Amino acid sequence: MQQKTRAFLKWAGGKYSLVEDIAKRLQSASQEADTLVEPFVGAGSVFLNTHFKHYVLNDINADLINLYKELQRTPDEFISDAKKLFVELNNHPEAYYGYRTQFNESIDVYERAILFLYMNRHGYNGLCRYNLKGIFNVPFGKYKKPYFPERELYIFAEKAQHATFTCQSYPEVFKKLPNNAVVYCDPPYVPLSKTASFTSYAKGGFDLDDQARLAILAEQSAFEQQTPVLISNHDTVWTRKIYAQAKLDVIQVKRTISPKGNGRNKVDELMALFHKD
């Protein structure tokens, strides 16, 4: 694979370190596919580091998809306007919390997109988190000088011209799979412990019933419609049970979301490939 491209967003659970593993499995599953469908696109590392003619990129987080659409629509204007917020004056708690309030009160899609990018780079640990009322509540991140990802934004915007962005539930995405496609799913992971989960990054959450439902949709897609599906998740008794019909590979991944050093150990992840041989 050629040099990897980083996403312009900081994102918990991003797949930058695994894109070679994922791309290899997607290619082996369907060498003829011309469309990659991602029901949980997140920061888009897989999108950025694969080579399909077209992409269907979905996420239930409306602010994320709105940001992608605005960047896709007017990249030069968007990047220029976003850059104006990345100044020393705005790298302080008072400024951050003021913009966070402005974001939560705004109904203007362009303004929300600009502020979403600002908060992603100035907020704590790149988290994207909302309370049950849908209010963005990530605290200030205290970074010395937040990086403005100008180059990464332009790369994303250029490749986004080959993408269709949607904000739907994952079952809706599976209902509308195009012909000659392959699917990669990066759902919110099954918690490794009862205390490992945090408030969802989109209203509604993703529980164990959703995990099982996604596995059933993957089976139906692969075995009834001949559209292969690859899913990433933690390696647990539960995931091995619901992915019983898939080809399972285990890979070790370094976790970096925990603020504590001892919370950054390697953990086992499953790559579950649903594919009709």
Side-chain angles (χ1 to χ4, degrees):
M1 179 180 285
Q2 60 187 20
Q3 185 176 2
K4 292 196 293 184
T5 300
R6 283 194 177 276
F8 66 84
L9 291 172
K10 298 170 71 174
W11 206 253
K15 289 296 176 287
Y16 180 77
S17 65
L18 297 178
V19 290
E20 293 98 340
D21 291 297
I22 294 166
K24 179 175 64 178
R25 287 169 173 80
L26 291 173
Q27 186 175 20
S28 67
S30 183
Q31 295 183 5
E32 305 302 319
D34 59 15
T35 302
L36 174 63
V37 179
E38 291 197 63
F40 311 87
V41 67
S45 289
V46 175
F47 156 63
L48 289 166
N49 291 283
T50 51
H51 306 283
F52 292 87
K53 291 181 181 178
H54 188 68
Y55 293 84
V56 176
L57 305 177
N58 180 81
D59 205 280
I60 198 65
N61 186 320
D63 289 315
L64 179 68
I65 295 301
N66 173 51
L67 166 57
Y68 291 160
K69 286 183 174 180
E70 292 302 311
L71 177 59
Q72 178 191 48
R73 184 175 63 87
T74 56
D76 291 330
E77 178 187 3
F78 182 89
I79 294 169
S80 175
D81 287 342
K83 191 173 186 178
K84 295 172 185 174
L85 290 182
F86 284 69
V87 294
E88 173 59 28
L89 186 66
N90 289 332
N91 191 28
H92 294 279
E94 296 80 6
Y96 176 83
Y97 290 117
Y99 281 125
R100 194 180 74 173
T101 298
Q102 183 179 339
F103 171 83
N104 282 320
E105 294 176 351
S106 177
I107 58 173
D108 182 89
V109 293
Y110 188 78
E111 180 181 43
R112 284 183 72 91
I114 295 288
L115 292 173
F116 189 79
L117 174 59
Y118 162 82
M119 292 187 303
N120 174 263
R121 283 282 165 179
H122 290 76
Y124 178 74
N125 234 11
L127 289 176
C128 181
R129 188 184 64 190
Y130 303 80
N131 67 18
L132 294 177
K133 294 182 179 179
I135 302 298
F136 188 90
N137 61 3
V138 175
F140 182 59
K142 301 179 183 177
Y143 297 109
K144 187 174 181 179
K145 186 178 181 182
Y147 172 65
F148 181 66
E150 184 167 353
R151 176 178 175 273
E152 292 86 346
L153 282 161
Y154 273 113
I155 291 173
F156 190 102
E158 181 178 0
K159 190 158 189 178
Q161 304 310 310
H162 303 283
T164 299
F165 294 101
T166 61
C167 182
Q168 302 174 322
S169 65
Y170 65 92
E172 287 297 315
V173 177
F174 273 91
K175 282 181 184 177
K176 304 170 186 175
L177 293 180
N179 295 325
N180 209 22
V182 62
V183 182
Y184 171 60
C185 295
D186 181 27
Y189 277 20
V190 172
L192 289 174
S193 68
K194 291 181 179 179
T195 60
S197 188
F198 58 85
T199 304
S200 177
Y201 85 116
K203 287 186 290 185
F206 199 88
D207 59 21
L208 293 182
D209 287 339
D210 284 300
Q211 300 284 359
R213 188 178 184 189
L214 176 62
I216 292 170
L217 290 172
E219 289 179 23
Q220 293 172 342
S221 171
F223 304 134
E224 296 175 16
Q225 302 172 31
Q226 285 73 56
T227 300
V229 180
L230 178 67
I231 306 180
S232 302
N233 214 320
H234 281 143
D235 185 2
T236 68
V237 172
W238 172 252
T239 51
R240 283 182 174 269
K241 180 178 179 179
I242 62 175
Y243 300 154
Q245 300 303 312
K247 178 183 181 294
L248 300 179
D249 290 328
V250 178
I251 56 175
Q252 283 202 323
V253 179
K254 194 172 185 179
R255 280 280 165 263
T256 57
I257 190 61
S258 172
K260 300 177 183 178
N262 60 7
R264 300 179 184 229
N265 300 326
K266 287 189 176 182
V267 298
D268 286 343
E269 286 196 10
L270 285 180
M271 290 278 182
L273 179 60
F274 295 83
H275 183 215
K276 187 173 184 179
D277 294 324

